[in-house]
Amino acid sequence: MLNKFERSGGEAVVQYLDSNLRVLKPGAYVRCAVTGVEIPLDELKYWSVERQEAYASPEAVMMRITGGTGPQT
């Protein structure tokens, strides 16, 4: 499935699963769906299976859930 350390540079394409990730296109990072910040794959902790989105922090998750907007980067 996922080997977080098997990656190349650039943005990865990832399928978010319940307790794991599937890397569809290798890369070094994914982007937070709320803030746009780059999240290194080996530091990715928050995502939505339903929305197929990654989040940089718990605050970003809450912003998405509540419909708030985050800082623009």
Side-chain angles (χ1 to χ4, degrees), residues 2-32:
L2 171 69
N3 181 347
K4 291 183 182 182
F5 302 102
E6 184 179 304
R7 57 187 172 167
S8 60
E11 190 167 356
V13 176
V14 175
Q15 179 182 13
Y16 301 99
L17 306 172
D18 285 328
S19 62
N20 207 347
L21 309 170
R22 179 177 290 137
V23 177
L24 303 176
K25 177 183 164 234
Y29 64 90
V30 292
R31 290 200 182 272
C32 176

